[in-house]
Amino acid sequence: MTDDQTVRIALVGGGAFGAKHAAALKRIKGVEVAAVASSSLASARTFAAEQGVGRGVAGLDEVLAMDDVDAVILATPTQMHAEQTIACLEAGKHVQVEIPLADSLADAEACLAAQERTGLVAMVGHTRRFNPSHQWVRQRIRAGEYNIQQMDVQTYFFRRENLNALGRPRSWTDHLLWHHAAHTVDLFAYQTGSPIVRANAIQGPIHPELGIAMDMSIQLRAQSGAICTLSLSFNNDGPLGTFFRYIGDTGTYLARYDDLVDGKDEPIDVSAVDVSMDGIELQDREFVAAIREGREPNSSIAQVMPCYRTLAALEEQLAAASKS
């Protein structure tokens, strides 16, 4: 594909993250949102009207039958990710799937096999790789100016009811391990440039209605010797979100999404790190660039597979502990 050709992308999923991708894609030159699909034709048409897209269709099957769609972004429930990713690839469409790639190692491996068979661009939305705050730290590491000794991460939400990021009822159940821990497990290995060689996890009680652990603690050690402590909770009544503390040999930094401060809480200007301050937009720009250039994207399925192998090992640990 040449630089002057329009990349035609279909967006599947009309929820909170679908809206974020729709807004981001509008800011990328040479991109057309060719269609949107949601859980029903009515919701797809409503979402299309809200986002200024001409076509709203009932589901992924209709999208995959469209000759004028080059690529698909999946912002659908976690349990649909793997099956839909494989369907996109088998239909000849490049695909970006929101995190997590899958909620089992077998499904994640199947997605990797489909990408290898087709040779298409297949990317997973590990947004922390793209946030300017984390990019700034990575640039210092790559310049030889900084080495991570420890990362301390808190991922806290208030999810005692099954609501999405917009406060609306969810049709599926979120997961601390396969979704929220995936961000940090991947980022830790990515930033240290060193594979995870040890991982431990414990979890709190299982919620009687949601059927998931509401609290979890994870410890990681990289081959480099760096360690990571990750605390996750759906019981935390504010402040909400994920807070990353980098403790290194030449400084301490705290990142929250696209913002960064040092250990004395002094803001660090990251506005010049990339062309945007929006991590989702930067993620989508990488997807489009990889399609145009015919190359592997940052956060490809192959690159993030070690993360999902670690999550599977942690799941086995937790399952064994629950029986003891």
Side-chain angles (χ1 to χ4, degrees):
M1 177 173 283
T2 61
D3 288 346
D4 59 350
Q5 284 181 281
T6 299
V7 179
R8 300 162 301 182
I9 297 176
L11 180 57
V12 181
F17 268 79
K20 290 183 179 183
H21 281 287
L25 292 170
K26 290 175 185 176
R27 300 193 290 266
I28 304 174
K29 185 179 179 181
V31 170
E32 175 193 346
V33 181
V36 296
S38 192
S39 56
S40 69
L41 180 59
S43 63
R45 286 176 172 169
T46 298
F47 185 70
E50 290 171 352
Q51 303 301 330
V53 178
R55 269 191 298 188
V57 298
L60 179 62
D61 288 345
E62 286 190 54
V63 166
L64 298 184
M66 294 176 181
D67 293 332
D68 61 344
V69 167
D70 304 305
V72 179
I73 293 179
L74 298 170
T76 51
T78 292
Q79 291 78 10
M80 303 169 76
H81 285 183
E83 181 180 355
Q84 290 184 333
T85 296
I86 294 168
C88 290
L89 292 168
E90 298 293 359
K93 312 294 187 188
H94 304 290
V95 62
Q96 179 190 168
V97 57
E98 260 306 328
I99 192 171
L101 170 63
D103 57 3
S104 76
L105 181 57
D107 284 348
E109 296 280 11
C111 291
L112 176 61
Q115 189 282 320
E116 292 174 339
R117 282 196 307 272
T118 62
L120 294 166
V121 173
M123 178 178 170
V124 189
H126 285 251
T127 313
R128 300 297 165 262
R129 291 185 177 217
F130 301 94
N131 291 119
S133 53
H134 298 295
Q135 282 201 56
W136 187 93
V137 174
R138 182 169 176 81
Q139 287 175 4
R140 289 207 62 202
I141 293 168
R142 298 189 73 170
E145 300 169 355
Y146 190 67
N147 291 296
I148 296 171
Q149 310 296 332
Q150 180 176 182
M151 285 177 63
D152 186 88
V153 186
Q154 298 174 326
T155 295
Y156 292 156
F157 296 97
F158 192 61
R159 295 270 177 84
R160 292 179 190 169
E161 296 179 50
N162 205 14
L163 305 176
N164 69 11
L166 298 176
R168 297 171 182 165
R170 254 198 179 116
S171 61
W172 55 283
T173 304
D174 203 359
H175 202 279
L176 286 176
L177 180 65
W178 284 97
H179 177 189
H180 295 285
H183 281 292
T184 297
V185 171
D186 179 67
L187 184 69
F188 176 59
Y190 179 68
Q191 295 287 60
T192 59
S194 182
I196 293 168
V197 294
R198 186 170 179 183
N200 302 307
I202 57 173
Q203 65 184 14
I206 303 298
H207 191 283
E209 296 172 6
L210 298 178
I212 57 170
M214 300 290 282
D215 293 275
M216 192 173 293
S217 177
I218 294 173
Q219 292 178 310
L220 307 169
R221 184 167 69 84
Q223 195 171 69
S224 65
I227 63 172
C228 176
T229 302
L230 169 61
S231 171
L232 307 106
S233 181
F234 281 160
N235 274 318
N236 178 66
D237 196 6
L240 307 179
T242 301
F243 308 87
F244 298 83
R245 179 184 292 269
Y246 289 95
I247 301 172
D249 55 351
T250 58
T252 294
Y253 305 104
L254 289 84
R256 186 176 190 273
Y257 298 101
D258 298 310
D259 298 320
L260 186 69
V261 299
D262 66 17
K264 297 178 176 61
D265 213 31
E266 294 293 329
I268 295 172
D269 182 6
V270 296
S271 62
V273 167
D274 213 323
V275 297
S276 169
M277 282 289 290
D278 180 355
I280 297 290
E281 178 186 337
L282 296 174
Q283 175 182 310
D284 288 349
R285 284 182 179 275
E286 173 66 3
F287 182 49
V288 172
I291 293 169
R292 289 191 182 283
E293 297 164 18
R295 62 166 173 83
E296 180 182 7
N298 185 6
S299 196
S300 68
I301 290 178
Q303 289 178 14
V304 302
M305 276 305 302
C307 164
Y308 293 93
R309 292 171 183 141
T310 298
L311 296 179
L314 290 170
E315 185 176 63
E316 288 182 9
Q317 271 188 32
L318 293 170
S322 70
K323 295 175 184 177
S324 61

